[in-house]
Amino acid sequence: MGKFPIADAEISKIWICKRCKRRNRAGVEKCRWCGSKYLRPKKKALKAKKA
Ligand SMILES: [Zn+2]
């Protein structure tokens, strides 16, 4: 968990489309924007990316 529990909670509700990189609600089967099924949950990815 990160510093911001609320933000973590929000992020955990979001899935990112691998094709168009847009946000979808977690649990959707297809991207609502492009219809792609390639979705992934958004995780704590933004950690120490920029040194
Ligand atoms: Zn998409």
Side-chain angles (χ1 to χ4, degrees), residues 11-25:
I11 285 170
S12 68
K13 290 182 205 163
I14 294 170
W15 281 11
I16 303 294
C17 174
K18 285 184 178 178
R19 188 168 160 201
C20 68
K21 306 279 172 59
R22 290 206 244 197
R23 287 180 287 181
N24 291 271
R25 297 176 69 177

Side-chain angles (χ1 to χ4, degrees), residues 8-49:
D8 281 342
E10 286 302 311
I11 285 170
S12 68
K13 290 182 205 163
I14 294 170
W15 281 11
I16 303 294
C17 174
K18 285 184 178 178
R19 188 168 160 201
C20 68
K21 306 279 172 59
R22 290 206 244 197
R23 287 180 287 181
N24 291 271
R25 297 176 69 177
V28 296
E29 291 192 3
K30 291 192 292 187
C31 174
R32 62 181 279 211
W33 304 98
C34 70
S36 168
K37 290 186 194 168
Y38 296 102
L39 304 169
R40 62 169 172 80
K42 182 163 187 174
K43 287 193 176 176
K44 42 165 187 175
L46 319 167
K47 213 171 177 183
K49 265 259 163 138

